[in-house]
Amino acid sequence: KNPPRDPQPVARARTMASALDNAADPPREFVKHTRACFRCKLVKTFDQFVEAGCDNCEFFQMTDDRGRVVECTAAHYSGVCAVIDPKSSWTAKWLRLGKLVPGCYALEINDDVPDAVATEIEERMDAGR
């Protein structure tokens, strides 16, 4: 007889599948044309931000607005971390990404946040408190 199967791997697989259901599309290319959201650091291509905006920061309203994408994202960033299951990943918690959608995130933004965008982010954070 076969020993009973451990239910843990099945449960983990279900959790992983459900986490990926709402994941941000990964960048189509990393060579060029990728940008990172100034607020959450989600990395996508310029066109992906134009097509769908930021999956975490919908208040930026970047969809179909190329100028807004330029204003709310950084072209210069350092490092990328792929997060599959933010709620259980120690890396996501360490990077403070635990409440964001699964996706690819910049480790550091190297561009200055425009004043208007910084104000929007601060207002959004104050409203959430």
Side-chain angles (χ1 to χ4, degrees):
K1 282 186 169 180
N2 291 334
R5 295 180 94 192
D6 180 13
Q8 289 287 48
V10 174
R12 270 188 245 130
R14 281 192 199 118
T15 300
M16 188 74 67
S18 66
L20 293 176
D21 286 343
N22 66 342
D25 288 335
R28 295 182 191 120
E29 59 182 80
F30 270 106
V31 181
K32 54 184 176 178
H33 307 299
T34 56
R35 301 183 70 86
C37 174
F38 273 124
R39 180 182 162 266
C40 71
K41 301 181 184 175
L42 180 67
V43 175
K44 297 168 94 173
T45 63
F46 181 85
D47 289 339
Q48 284 174 306
F49 276 116
V50 172
E51 290 167 11
C54 178
D55 300 66
N56 299 303
C57 307
E58 294 177 10
F59 66 91
F60 276 151
Q61 299 178 340
M62 291 187 258
T63 306
D64 296 324
D65 189 338
R66 299 175 84 75
R68 192 76 174 138
V69 171
V70 170
E71 184 180 23
C72 297
T73 62
H76 303 101
Y77 57 88
S78 300
V80 174
C81 178
V83 177
I84 295 173
D85 188 0
K87 289 183 176 127
S88 65
S89 165
W90 70 266
T91 306
K93 290 175 186 150
W94 181 63
L95 295 171
R96 297 187 176 140
L97 304 172
K99 294 182 180 179
L100 304 180
V101 301
C104 296
Y105 291 87
L107 298 179
E108 183 178 5
I109 301 287
N110 300 329
D111 289 339
D112 292 329
V113 181
D115 291 339
V117 173
T119 300
E120 270 186 84
I121 293 169
E122 287 173 20
E123 289 171 355
R124 183 56 97 176
M125 291 177 74
D126 287 344
R129 289 187 183 144

